[in-house]
Amino acid sequence: MESRWNDEEAARFVEAARAAGQSEALGLRIYTSRIIGSDPDLVLHGGGNTSVKVRSDEGEDLMHIKGSGWDLDTIEAPGLPAVRLAPLLEARNTPKLSDPDMVSLLRASLIEKDAPNPSVEALLHAFIPFAYVDHTHATAVLALADQPNMRDTVRRIYGDRLAYVPYVMPGFDLSIAADRIYRNHAGCEGLWLENHGLFTFANDARASYELMIEFVTLAEQELARAGVALTGPQPNDGERDAGLAKRLENALMREGSPFVFLDYRSTAAIRELTSKPNVEAISLRGTVTPDHVIRIKPWPMIIGADADEPAIESALAAYADRYRAYFEKNATRANEPKRILDVYPRVVLVLGKGMFAIGANAKAAKIGGDLCEQAARVINAAEAYGCFTPISEADLFDMEYWSLEQAKLKIAA
């Protein structure tokens, strides 16, 4: 992976920030957020987050943090709302914060009360004692992060430069756990989050960004060392079967699904995945990074390339039965009552051919398609390297039914 940093472009963002009465630091934060967000092998559709700590004209320590509902590739100053840093740092000594209490703390700390909700990982950004903090879900990193027992491998690749954080659900618990690990690894330049992604940080915008590029490159090199060819984004070059698409639309409408917009993808990586003899077993393991579950459900539905409408309807019924069983099994563990979401798939794998992403509108379907395209490349690489092993079903359920993640969909709709 190559750095996209350009001195002239960075200077233009700095000048634009000054002209708007904003700090140079915020201008650089917008710039590096955009070059991170413009690379689909770093983040996709609302994924990842960035922050910068600054001091106000009144001498108060603030942090600009990505707001919910914003994508990094198009982010502007309103998408990086400022929060007072002191109340967030005090949360480090709080035994426990519920999700509503954490959101209340973040909103109460906003400088502008009508700003978007700060990222659910804002506390972790606050705890890390560097000006710039970057967090991504890089394709190469996910191929390795979704492997079992990777602590020693991560240490072999990165030495003491990265601290390893076992999987913890994002939010308050992850912030506290990762902060503790960071403080036990003084001098590290980033955090490797099991099954989740990568953090880097520095007091300079370019340094933090280029650490991310370097560490993702090291992950790519580890895959290459193992003989794994990780492809970049690929062209959608497979022919869409109009008849199959129509049969799928008809079956979805007869089942009463509000999700009937289809986005078909057929890349070399997708065809490789859908041709695997054990594709169903692989697909049932879960999503490549936790927050994908809120857009594409825990697993896809699978049909043959020649499936007729009765076969598709049967697959939809089986999918609904599986989803209800998943809900009933996992809802009993919850600390609060959960109400089942819809039981319709968001992804349909067509064996040996491609994938349909399904959404309530064309935009949602396209987002699902983009996530599926990356997921296919991650899963293929993970299986070639070892065994694709994402978070457990129980953790996936907790993420899917987490109120803070559900709120993202309402904002992005």
Side-chain angles (χ1 to χ4, degrees):
M1 179 168 283
E2 295 184 358
S3 170
R4 298 187 180 193
W5 178 277
N6 179 284
D7 285 334
E8 292 182 0
E9 289 183 5
R12 283 197 291 270
F13 275 85
V14 168
E15 287 305 313
R18 287 174 178 160
Q22 299 157 356
S23 68
E24 175 181 334
L26 179 57
L28 289 171
R29 177 69 288 173
I30 295 170
Y31 171 59
T32 53
S33 296
R34 287 193 177 190
I35 57 176
I36 288 170
S38 65
D39 190 335
D41 268 332
L42 286 177
V43 294
L44 284 171
H45 298 296
N49 39 68
T50 59
S51 66
V52 62
K53 300 177 183 72
V54 300
R55 179 158 290 180
S56 71
D57 293 339
E58 293 75 28
E60 184 176 21
D61 290 328
L62 307 176
M63 179 176 71
H64 291 276
I65 176 76
K66 180 193 162 193
S68 291
W70 284 82
D71 284 351
L72 290 178
D73 62 332
T74 55
I75 204 160
E76 298 175 358
L80 288 157
V83 292
R84 295 179 178 86
L85 197 55
L88 276 56
L89 295 178
E90 290 174 8
R92 177 185 273 152
N93 302 315
T94 302
K96 177 67 179 175
L97 273 181
S98 67
D99 293 339
D101 286 344
M102 183 180 73
V103 172
S104 295
L105 169 65
L106 295 176
R107 288 215 62 83
S109 302
L110 283 165
I111 298 299
E112 297 181 2
K113 298 307 178 185
D114 59 347
N117 280 346
S119 165
V120 297
E121 288 161 349
L123 290 179
L124 177 52
H125 281 254
F127 295 162
I128 294 172
F130 287 90
Y132 290 87
V133 180
D134 299 335
H135 170 45
T136 73
H137 304 146
T139 304
V141 169
L142 292 177
L144 297 177
D146 285 335
Q147 298 285 334
N149 306 314
M150 285 294 286
R151 185 187 296 271
D152 290 344
T153 301
V154 169
R155 184 168 182 80
R156 172 175 58 77
I157 299 169
Y158 298 100
D160 294 330
R161 300 182 69 191
L162 283 181
Y164 188 93
V165 182
Y167 180 76
V168 179
M169 186 168 168
F172 180 78
D173 290 345
L174 173 60
S175 300
I176 294 298
D179 176 54
R180 185 180 302 115
I181 289 169
Y182 167 76
R183 286 190 283 171
N184 288 334
H185 293 78
C188 72
E189 300 167 283
L191 299 173
W192 178 280
L193 274 56
E194 182 182 38
N195 298 129
H196 185 158
L198 182 65
F199 273 80
T200 58
F201 30 80
N203 284 323
D204 176 84
R206 182 173 185 173
S208 184
Y209 166 70
E210 293 193 336
L211 275 174
M212 181 65 69
I213 300 305
E214 179 186 359
F215 289 161
V216 173
T217 299
L218 289 172
E220 292 173 340
Q221 291 172 352
E222 170 63 15
L223 292 170
R225 182 202 61 78
V228 178
L230 178 65
T231 55
Q234 298 176 328
N236 186 28
D237 58 2
E239 185 176 353
R240 184 178 191 263
D241 185 329
L244 179 60
K246 186 61 177 176
R247 295 193 295 274
L248 177 57
E249 287 178 359
N250 290 342
L252 287 166
M253 286 190 286
R254 269 198 298 274
E255 290 294 318
S257 172
F259 308 100
V260 294
F261 286 82
L262 305 181
D263 183 286
Y264 183 71
R265 303 292 174 101
S266 181
T267 66
I270 289 173
R271 292 190 291 273
E272 177 185 343
L273 175 60
T274 58
S275 297
K276 291 183 183 296
N278 61 337
V279 63
E280 182 173 7
I282 294 172
S283 298
L284 289 174
R285 295 176 196 165
T287 58
V288 299
T289 194
D291 63 348
H292 282 191
V293 72
I294 69 168
R295 294 190 183 274
I296 60 173
K297 290 289 198 181
W299 56 80
M301 185 175 89
I302 301 177
I303 59 174
D306 59 351
D308 57 17
E309 288 188 26
I312 295 172
E313 289 174 358
S314 177
L316 285 168
Y319 187 96
D321 288 345
R322 183 188 293 276
Y323 190 84
R324 291 187 189 98
Y326 153 83
F327 176 83
E328 291 167 4
K329 174 184 175 182
N330 290 285
T332 58
R333 301 181 295 100
N335 295 326
E336 59 186 12
K338 299 292 184 183
R339 182 176 179 178
I340 192 170
L341 301 172
D342 71 89
V343 298
Y344 304 109
R346 298 295 188 278
V347 179
V348 176
L349 301 191
V350 182
L351 292 174
K353 296 292 185 179
M355 295 182 179
F356 287 99
I358 308 172
N361 51 54
K363 177 183 176 182
K366 181 184 183 304
I367 288 172
D370 290 346
L371 297 181
C372 289
E373 193 277 332
Q374 183 200 33
R377 293 185 292 117
V378 170
I379 293 169
N380 290 339
E383 283 288 287
Y385 183 87
C387 180
F388 172 60
T389 310
I391 59 174
S392 69
E393 179 187 283
D395 287 327
L396 201 63
F397 177 88
D398 290 344
M399 198 72 185
E400 184 180 9
Y401 280 84
W402 189 26
S403 59
L404 301 188
E405 284 297 317
Q406 290 297 308
K408 287 185 181 180
L409 283 184
K410 295 178 183 177
I411 293 170

